[in-house]
Amino acid sequence: MTQIDDVKSRLDIVEVISSYVNLQRSGSSLKANCPFHQERTPSFFVFPDRQSWRCFGACAEGGDAFSFVMKHEKVEFREALQTLAARVGITLVNNEESRSNARELFEINDAARRFFQQMLDTEEARFVREYLERRGVNERSIQTFEIGYSPPRDNRLLAHLRQAGHHDELIARAALARETEDGRLYDFFRGRLMIPIRDWEARVAGFGSRALDENATPKYLNTPRTPVFDKSRILYAMNLGKEPVRQHGAVIVEGYMDAIMAHQHGYDNVVASMGTALTERQVDLVRRLTTNVTMALDGDPAGRNATLRSLESSWGVFQRRNSQNTSVSMLQQPDAMELRVAELPAGQDPDDFIRSDPGAWPAFLERAQELFDYLLDSLSERADMDSPDGRSWVANTMLRFVAQIPDPLRSDLYLDRLSARLALNNDTLRRALGDIKRQLAREQRGQAAAAAADEATPQPAREYHAVEEALLAFLLQHGTEPLEGHESTPSTEWFSRSENREIYRNVIAGEDAEQMPVPPELQAHLDALRSRELRLSNQAKRDKAWLQMSLALEKEHLNNEIRQLSSLPEVMEDLDSPLAQRLLHNNIRIGEIDRLLRPASPNNT
Ligand SMILES: [Zn+2]
């Protein structure tokens, strides 16, 4: 999560704006006389559900908490960020500083990695090498995966690192040592098989480990979260498998031993998620290389429900990522990611399976099914499909998956499949889908509230700004020519995310994409937009993409306003009011846009 996201996730727009303006409740939103222009009746509204504000009066402006503070305090983005970060108690880390801190952490991790590897070659680690042999890990894998050993006693890593001149503070920050209550440091990993975890750029970010004493707990222990280690942002063995993944697609297993065993037998497109559910960040990593992803699930009937939950979450990530894609590739077949699933026989994990019959792995993967079909099959096996109760249980479970597809066309396709398989009426399923969507929204709100309450894991409701970001990526990569003289040159107002607004402001000010003077906190976002793959190979495609994106952005903006306006009691009370007029105007303009967006003929792509 970026620092900006972190600040956002802790902010409440109502709280922020109430500290400047006296807000009154009005239905589900709040209103006030606009602080930015003179007026007698309020046309300034704050929408807590979308964390946004808007003046429907003379200013006709709106945005999020950042843009409000920028406008009210007349400051730049950076200062607004600092003000709001201070408000929620976050200290912004200077990027230069954090980069050099990260370098130190990678270096000390690498020193620890070398130490653990050396320890594996000592006489006292003979039993560890024997253990590896029993598990079928060969010498080449031990070298490739840099497997090591942490001695059980005497804090030897700590002593080694100190002797090499590393400070205690850094050793503790890398989580290689922990502090006792009386402030003394001790080795974090003791008596364990050590597996260095390298990130996308092959830097040693942290370690996985397995206890060698069967009675020791926990059996598996990873580096806790540090500034450079967050296992939800890493796929184990990806640093070795980029080319194979690009060529053959990615196979995702759960544990690092599974991945090691697969590579040992030549299946080097196998990477490990180090957890049950795929995270957004992991999916983004894979997507850089391939759209073809297979998950190899442990054959574990006892953990079925847990697996189902994790698949539901992975499915959600894929659907959101795919819907984000479509606006970029509006003119070509969208390269939707396909998630397939193959389940091992009961009681086996990929490590066991490959060890016992390495040659059977490709055939096993061949049997992978599209996730939706896999779930439908495995639920149908467990339910009594002859009884209405059984079928409705399957339907309701599957509808939770369909409910996460943002694209209505795709969602319809899945509904049709479900309706055919379960012999249930399509309209009935559609109504049930509506109920489930509302229920999921409630659950998400509940979760967000719970997360805000304990703050243990701040999980901001991810908002996607696919169209505005596609449009920015286009301008940054193909230049600003389309902005000159085009009838629908986007207004800064149309961007709902302040970060995007800030970059767009720089673009229209003619700043060079390479050296855009954005605040350092925005640099990573800018880099991501600049390196996004657009695949618009010729001018005709670019012209058309531009037209579609700018219209789509305007439409999204109008729709946002419509959603806001329709939630206001004032609009329904007086249909002649400027608010109601605006609602009408927006609807008319959307009709025009839809006509412009409609393809002239079915095969003109
Ligand atoms: Zn105003």
Side-chain angles (χ1 to χ4, degrees), residues 34 37 55 59:
C34 178
H37 80 273
C55 166
C59 323

Side-chain angles (χ1 to χ4, degrees), residues 33-39 43-44 55-61 71:
N33 283 339
C34 178
F36 308 121
H37 80 273
Q38 288 292 323
E39 62 178 359
S43 54
F44 176 87
C55 166
F56 291 107
C59 323
E61 274 185 53
K71 194 166 167 60

Side-chain angles (χ1 to χ4, degrees), residues 258-548:
D258 300 324
I260 291 174
M261 197 47 63
H263 279 243
Q264 182 171 310
H265 288 94
Y267 306 122
D268 42 14
N269 62 335
V270 176
V271 297
S273 59
M274 304 186 288
T276 45
L278 284 175
T279 64
E280 316 247 337
R281 180 68 189 159
Q282 289 174 329
V283 171
D284 284 345
L285 291 177
V286 176
R287 197 172 64 164
R288 292 175 180 175
L289 302 172
T290 183
T291 54
N292 165 9
V293 184
T294 306
M295 286 174 84
L297 298 180
D298 294 0
D300 178 13
R304 264 278 169 77
N305 287 331
T307 308
L308 197 64
R309 274 196 301 278
S310 82
L311 288 176
E312 186 179 328
S313 130
S314 304
W315 163 269
V317 173
F318 266 68
Q319 295 308 324
R320 288 195 293 277
R321 282 303 188 246
N322 279 340
S323 76
Q324 215 183 355
N325 243 2
T326 48
S327 64
V328 184
S329 17
M330 245 178 298
L331 302 175
Q332 62 233 8
Q333 173 78 24
D335 47 353
M337 289 182 82
E338 198 194 348
L339 178 58
R340 299 193 311 147
V341 173
E343 188 186 343
L344 286 153
Q348 286 202 344
D349 60 23
D351 179 13
D352 305 320
F353 183 89
I354 293 174
R355 237 181 317 154
S356 64
D357 188 0
W361 182 248
F364 160 70
L365 292 176
E366 277 295 300
R367 290 196 299 273
Q369 285 176 288
E370 201 191 313
L371 177 60
F372 192 83
D373 297 324
Y374 164 83
L375 290 163
L376 191 48
D377 282 356
S378 62
L379 290 173
S380 303
E381 273 168 32
R382 290 158 69 193
D384 174 6
M385 296 300 281
D386 294 329
S387 85
D389 279 356
R391 293 217 306 280
S392 90
W393 174 73
V394 174
N396 277 311
T397 312
M398 292 307 297
L399 285 172
R400 284 181 69 91
F401 288 82
V402 181
Q404 298 189 52
I405 306 174
D407 173 3
L409 290 176
R410 282 176 69 87
S411 154
D412 265 8
L413 292 175
Y414 284 106
L415 271 187
D416 290 346
R417 258 148 92 173
L418 211 52
S419 152
R421 269 289 293 275
L422 300 175
L424 287 170
N425 179 289
N426 207 316
D427 292 333
T428 317
L429 282 175
R430 204 171 297 276
R431 274 196 302 278
L433 180 65
D435 291 343
I436 284 173
K437 279 188 173 166
R438 280 186 287 279
Q439 189 192 330
L440 284 174
R442 275 196 300 276
E443 282 174 24
Q444 272 158 10
R445 275 201 296 277
Q447 281 161 7
D454 66 23
E455 282 209 343
T457 46
Q459 282 281 327
R462 271 276 184 199
E463 273 227 43
Y464 291 104
H465 307 272
V467 178
E468 53 192 70
E469 285 170 11
L471 189 131
L472 282 179
F474 181 98
L475 291 173
L476 290 166
Q477 296 178 35
H478 295 304
T480 55
E481 201 186 317
L483 291 178
E484 285 141 31
H486 196 279
E487 60 171 75
S488 61
T489 296
S491 144
T492 317
E493 270 304 297
W494 297 355
F495 291 80
S496 60
R497 187 178 174 193
S498 282
E499 291 96 309
N500 292 336
R501 241 182 228 195
E502 182 65 12
I503 291 172
Y504 184 64
R505 210 180 48 75
N506 275 291
V507 168
I508 50 182
E511 297 291 351
D512 183 46
E514 303 253 343
Q515 289 155 8
M516 194 168 275
V518 297
E521 291 81 4
L522 263 181
Q523 193 63 47
H525 183 51
L526 176 63
D527 291 344
L529 292 171
R530 283 184 47 210
S531 59
R532 180 180 289 198
E533 200 179 336
L534 294 176
R535 291 193 292 169
L536 297 165
S537 47
N538 60 46
Q539 192 59 44
K541 278 186 179 175
R542 287 197 286 276
D543 287 347
K544 191 159 176 190
W546 171 260
L547 181 66
Q548 301 213 8

Side-chain angles (χ1 to χ4, degrees), residues 11-21 23 25 28-30 46-49 51-52 65 87:
L11 279 178
D12 175 22
I13 195 162
V14 176
E15 218 172 87
V16 172
I17 296 184
S18 331
S19 65
Y20 299 92
V21 181
L23 294 170
R25 190 149 278 286
S28 62
S29 33
L30 297 102
V46 179
F47 305 91
D49 53 342
Q51 293 287 300
S52 61
R87 199 184 169 99

